[in-house]
Amino acid sequence: MSDAGALIDERVAFLYASQTGNAESISYAVYEEAAKRGFSASWHVLDDHEKFGFNSLRTIVFVVSTTGDGDPPDNSARFWRVLRKATRADAKAYSHLRFAILGLGDTNYSNFCNTAQRLDRQLLAAGATAFYPTGLADDGTGLEEVVEPWIEGLWPALARVARCSSTTSSDGDGAAGDTTAAVTDALAALDVSDGDSPPSAEGAEAAAAAYEFQPLLLDFRPMAALKAITGAPRVPPAVCAGSFLDDDAEGRYWAAAAQRDALACPPWHAELEAGSPQDRTLAPFLATIASATQITAPEALKRTLLVDVALPSAAASHVRGRWHAGDAFNIFAPNDARLVAGVLARLGVDARTAQRPMLLQNTDPAIELPAHLRRFSTTPASIQDMLAWSADLCSPPRKQLLRALVDGCAEAADRDRLLYLCSRQGTATFDELRRQQPTVLDILCAFPSCKPQPTRLLELLPPLPPRSYSICNAPSESDARWQIAFNVVEYELEVVDPFSRAEDPVLSAAATRIRRRGVCTPWLEELTRRAAPPHILVALRPNLNAFRLPPPLPTGAPDPRPVLMVGPGTGVAPFIGFLQQRACELAAMPADGSTPFTWLFFGCRSPAHDYLFRNETRAKLDAGVLGRLSVCFSRDPEARAKHGAERYVQDAMLQRRDEIADLMLNKNALLYVCGDAKGIGKDVNEAMSDILCGYLESRPEQARDLAAQLPVSKAPADPAPAPLTKAQALQLLTLWATRRRYLRDLWA
Ligand code: NAP
């Protein structure tokens, strides 16, 4: 395994900028509490940045105030100059940095909390990541309203990014500062597995407060000129009603819930396991997260984790002999617990109600419950669990959902805007809404008077599908283990602010950055930090495109055809399994057998940051299992110059066009491509057609023979036909795909 990097930092710096002493004393109190909780903490005023080495810090908690007309405190003046200079010299100067900011200000003055907002913007623009949402406390209404919950939410967030030496806090409450608690305290507060009654309402409300919703930037001004709104979809019928269990049944429900232990899967997992498809191989089962390693350096653009999932022996024997390198498996992941808590809070459902078990029924016998809710007509579950595990809270909003939300609004303004969004006239605004990838919470918060019934919202939302990951080991290496490599999906969208004014220096950037996260990978990352290895629900997903190495010959020797593999980034995952499988085949090969040629094209940004599986591929190269390795570095010109590497895998292929064409056209080679459909899938196809055309240009007879095998083209004849036209080269690739010589595993 290559390039293991630390997941969490060893130390945290608490920095402040204070004019009247408020920010200083709050910062000191937070620092002191952090030290008590076992974090390795230091405390400094911002202007001492040289003394404490600001540029080398990786995890910082800022408390900063704003004075005058939005000015920063005097004891941070030098710091701002240095920050500006550093970010001018290098646009990504702080990509190594994770931060949290508490801002103090007063809404009675202009530029409320400008210091905190400016710091947030500048750090984000310089590549830093906020590990916890910025809190803006208002002296006008009482600082404590924001300060206290912000500090409370800081500890679990900090425990996710910084090491804590003790698993119990110094005041002995056992929860604070526990870095091994992988899911935040907020999440733990919502976890019903710890007792036989629902947890306290306060915990859930804290969790809701911790979720960062994104204000939507939508321009409704065109509505003013409209005479009519047309083309909105019909309102989908309401079919779903819920009823709570009686006391006895609820008691039984909680007693059963108390038995659940270290599970990170839907409470109804046993039912999913039992109600499996005919083929037991495809049935979901509980597996354990055995280990996790970050295989990218901390400076890498993306964080890639290699996770080992241990299969229980019964499941391992079900799937034995039925899975192959190249297959994937599904993981059943929930929505972010903070997002769920946020939606519940927004709907006005208190924590106790949210956790009370209920059954759903259809109010109209002629209309069935939506498929994702049907099980709840017989299996009781809480609204919170249904929202967490069954409904997709992050999928792109559909017009039907918006139309149905119109009826949940108390205010005419919200109703009109929602109607406009799903109308023909509002198409551009609707497109902008989808571009911002809002969660359901973002939408609800954008229309403050909209408060649909929770069961109504549940039935309107699409089902939450499981997520798939390629298995990157081979069965022969271990039958009871699946390994996956994935990027933790966290990214920023740039959204143009329709209300920005060019003359405003702050807003003239006219773009706001919106942070978004994937559903499954951040959750998996959190789970990997739990003290006790959690169980997750998984199911084998065989590759339906036969994306796997051909089986060995009856003699036991591997299939002799050359194999070309193209997989940049995590697209290399299945090929690691292929190489393991090939190593086993070679070990079992008759003594006089010859080793078939294999060639891997891998691409990453820089050899120092994200060269995934470097040790593994080099070892296979040294052992002769891999015949050739071509690696590209897209964002490291120095490394390219040093290693004679190309930028992208398709560039490397074009560079070696004759060898590739010869292997494909004359040596019956197999070509495998794994990656995203829009990027690598399209680009390699394009490169291959160029490679074939180029090679055949000087081989007209071979070109004619090949063209004769292709279906007759309906396109008008090329007046000056090349030996093989581009269209024919593409046809040839399609033919190879149907003959399983060109295999692609492309991901959306
Ligand atoms: P990535 O980090 O985004 O990119 C890896 C390298 O590929 C970078 O150097 C990147 O260059 C380069 N690249 C970007 N676009 C390219 C293109 N059109 N052609 C050639 N190279 C390109 O890769 P990733 O996020 O790991 O994504 C790999 C893909 O594989 C994803 O679609 C993923 O869904 C899929 N996949 C995942 C799994 C899994 O189990 N996790 C398994 C199989 C496939 P620049 O960014 O510098 O331009």
Side-chain angles (χ1 to χ4, degrees):
M1 201 168 310
S2 64
D3 303 327
L7 278 167
I8 50 179
D9 199 3
E10 293 298 328
R11 61 200 187 106
V12 193
F14 291 82
L15 308 184
Y16 70 91
S18 187
Q19 196 70 20
T20 61
N22 258 345
E24 182 179 350
S25 64
I26 292 173
S27 171
Y28 188 75
V30 179
Y31 151 73
E32 229 180 7
E33 173 73 356
K36 269 200 227 155
R37 287 172 180 254
F39 292 96
S40 168
S42 60
W43 183 64
H44 315 273
V45 60
L46 271 177
D47 261 356
D48 277 353
H49 56 87
E50 268 178 0
K51 275 195 222 152
F52 61 78
F54 178 80
N55 287 341
S56 64
L57 297 175
R58 290 180 11 159
T59 307
I60 303 180
V61 177
F62 295 91
V63 181
V64 293
S65 62
T66 298
T67 68
D69 195 18
D71 302 323
D74 295 342
N75 56 8
S76 64
R78 284 199 304 271
F79 166 80
W80 287 104
R81 280 199 293 278
V82 168
L83 186 68
R84 205 167 34 241
K85 214 164 133 197
T87 49
R88 268 205 202 129
D90 175 3
K92 292 285 162 211
Y94 293 107
S95 54
H96 58 281
L97 182 67
R98 295 174 295 197
F99 67 92
I101 301 175
L102 175 61
L104 311 185
D106 190 330
T107 41
N108 293 312
Y109 298 91
S110 53
N111 289 323
F112 172 58
C113 278
N114 190 40
T115 312
Q117 305 210 50
R118 190 174 144 199
L119 185 60
D120 188 48
R121 257 193 322 271
Q122 294 202 359
L123 290 175
L124 289 176
T129 317
F131 70 82
Y132 180 52
T134 296
L136 302 179
D138 182 6
D139 210 8
T141 57
L143 290 175
E144 66 288 347
E145 274 185 30
V146 169
V147 172
E148 278 168 19
W150 188 89
I151 295 174
E152 209 178 306
L154 173 70
W155 305 121
L158 195 57
R160 288 198 299 274
V161 294
R163 194 171 304 285
C164 181
S165 62
S166 65
T167 51
T168 52
S169 69
S170 58
D171 57 8
D173 68 12
D178 182 356
T179 50
T180 56
V183 184
T184 61
D185 286 354
L187 209 171
L190 296 178
D191 188 346
V192 292
S193 64
D194 288 344
D196 58 3
S197 63
S200 74
E202 293 76 32
E205 270 141 30
Y211 190 79
E212 179 191 14
F213 81 90
Q214 296 287 350
L216 299 174
L217 292 173
L218 299 174
D219 190 356
F220 290 103
R221 285 172 294 187
M223 281 175 68
L226 289 179
K227 293 215 166 49
I229 283 180
T230 57
R234 277 189 307 133
V235 185
V239 288
C240 183
S243 52
F244 292 115
L245 303 187
D246 62 35
D247 288 351
D248 285 351
E250 185 170 339
R252 286 196 297 278
Y253 174 91
W254 287 115
Q259 302 303 313
R260 288 195 265 129
D261 180 31
L263 291 178
C265 65
W268 46 91
H269 67 89
E271 193 188 317
L272 288 171
E273 290 168 80
S276 60
Q278 295 282 316
D279 182 356
R280 286 291 299 153
T281 320
L282 304 179
F285 59 87
L286 289 180
T288 314
I289 294 190
S291 69
T293 322
Q294 184 170 330
I295 56 171
T296 43
E299 302 83 7
L301 186 70
K302 298 183 181 177
R303 209 157 58 250
T304 308
L305 298 187
L306 182 67
V307 169
D308 253 34
V309 176
L311 277 50
S313 52
S317 64
H318 277 309
V319 295
R320 185 160 301 132
R322 299 197 174 113
W323 68 277
H324 308 265
D327 286 341
F329 69 93
N330 283 336
I331 296 182
F332 294 78
N335 290 298
D336 187 320
R338 288 151 292 211
L339 171 59
V340 173
V343 170
L344 287 164
R346 182 57 194 72
L347 296 179
V349 182
D350 67 78
R352 286 194 190 285
T353 311
Q355 291 167 26
R356 280 187 66 190
M358 61 161 60
L359 285 168
L360 300 183
Q361 56 273 331
N362 43 341
T363 47
D364 180 346
I367 310 176
E368 264 198 295
L369 287 174
H372 64 290
L373 301 181
R374 239 163 259 165
R375 75 164 45 85
F376 306 122
S377 64
T378 49
T379 304
S382 65
I383 279 283
Q384 179 182 291
D385 282 337
M386 293 180 202
L387 275 174
W389 292 97
S390 293
D392 197 337
L393 304 184
C394 300
S395 61
R398 291 169 307 160
K399 286 194 173 180
Q400 263 210 337
L401 167 72
L402 302 175
R403 176 63 193 86
L405 291 182
V406 171
D407 300 341
C409 296
E411 306 273 338
D414 286 340
R415 275 199 297 274
D416 291 349
R417 287 177 170 203
L418 275 165
L419 253 183
Y420 172 70
L421 265 182
C422 54
S423 72
R424 196 167 294 127
Q425 293 77 9
T427 302
T429 317
F430 177 70
D431 292 345
E432 183 49 38
L433 171 74
R434 283 175 67 103
R435 231 182 55 70
Q436 293 178 27
Q437 303 177 11
T439 66
V440 167
L441 180 60
D442 299 337
I443 295 176
L444 289 173
C445 291
F447 303 96
S449 77
C450 181
K451 209 178 245 190
Q453 286 294 322
T455 47
R456 178 68 171 144
L457 187 63
L458 267 175
E459 69 181 5
L460 291 169
L461 291 170
L464 180 63
R467 303 313 205 238
S468 292
Y469 300 91
S470 294
I471 303 173
C472 56
N473 58 308
S476 38
E477 291 256 320
S478 163
D479 265 355
R481 184 175 69 110
W482 284 339
Q483 223 173 31
I484 48 173
F486 58 85
N487 296 319
V488 179
V489 180
E490 285 167 343
Y491 56 99
E492 282 189 350
L493 285 177
E494 211 165 68
V495 176
V496 175
D497 182 348
F499 303 101
S500 64
R501 287 166 295 138
E503 68 272 16
D504 184 322
V506 173
L507 294 174
S508 65
T512 295
R513 289 180 171 281
I514 294 187
R515 269 163 267 157
R516 297 288 179 209
R517 309 171 87 214
V519 171
C520 186
T521 56
W523 170 77
L524 271 179
E525 185 183 33
E526 286 188 352
L527 290 186
T528 61
R529 297 194 189 129
R530 275 199 184 179
H535 301 301
I536 56 172
L537 196 66
V538 300
L540 178 64
R541 206 191 114 199
N543 194 301
L544 299 177
N545 300 321
F547 191 84
R548 51 181 65 142
L549 283 178
L553 303 178
T555 59
D559 185 282
R561 285 174 287 179
V563 167
L564 305 178
M565 298 169 282
V566 185
T570 52
V572 75
F575 302 134
I576 300 303
F578 280 18
L579 292 174
Q580 289 180 3
Q581 179 179 329
R582 191 41 70 84
C584 294
E585 288 172 3
L586 291 175
M589 184 173 72
D592 57 348
S594 64
T595 305
F597 178 65
T598 47
W599 189 355
L600 174 64
F601 290 86
F602 172 69
C604 61
R605 297 189 174 89
S606 153
H609 298 164
D610 58 348
Y611 190 161
L612 309 181
F613 299 103
R614 187 205 313 238
N615 294 344
E616 176 117 18
T617 45
R618 293 218 72 88
K620 291 288 187 289
L621 198 62
D622 292 345
V625 175
L626 182 60
R628 200 161 163 188
L629 175 62
S630 299
V631 184
C632 307
F633 305 117
S634 61
R635 301 198 192 177
D636 194 336
E638 264 177 45
R640 280 207 295 276
K642 189 167 160 203
H643 299 284
E646 284 77 20
R647 187 165 181 201
Y648 289 125
V649 282
Q650 59 273 29
D651 302 336
M653 294 174 78
L654 287 164
Q655 197 66 28
R656 294 147 184 90
R657 57 174 65 220
D658 282 358
E659 290 165 272
I660 292 176
D662 179 51
L663 284 165
M664 291 304 292
L665 291 166
N666 307 324
K667 310 265 167 46
N668 202 20
L670 305 171
L671 172 61
Y672 295 87
V673 182
C674 181
D676 67 315
K678 271 197 249 156
I680 188 78
K682 205 168 107 304
D683 293 346
V684 168
N685 210 49
E686 191 67 23
M688 276 306 295
S689 64
D690 288 347
I691 286 172
L692 294 172
C693 290
Y695 182 83
L696 291 167
E697 210 166 277
S698 55
R699 295 166 176 84
E701 279 190 17
Q702 190 174 6
R704 255 191 303 278
D705 287 351
L706 281 168
Q709 296 173 28
L710 300 172
V712 181
S713 168
K714 290 197 185 96
D718 192 332
L724 192 79
T725 63
K726 179 100 176 169
Q728 285 173 321
L730 291 169
Q731 273 185 324
L732 183 59
L733 288 170
T734 309
L735 185 73
W736 283 345
T738 56
R739 292 182 181 168
R740 306 232 155 121
R741 283 192 54 209
Y742 176 34
L743 296 116
R744 304 197 301 163
D745 190 22
L746 299 182
W747 297 61

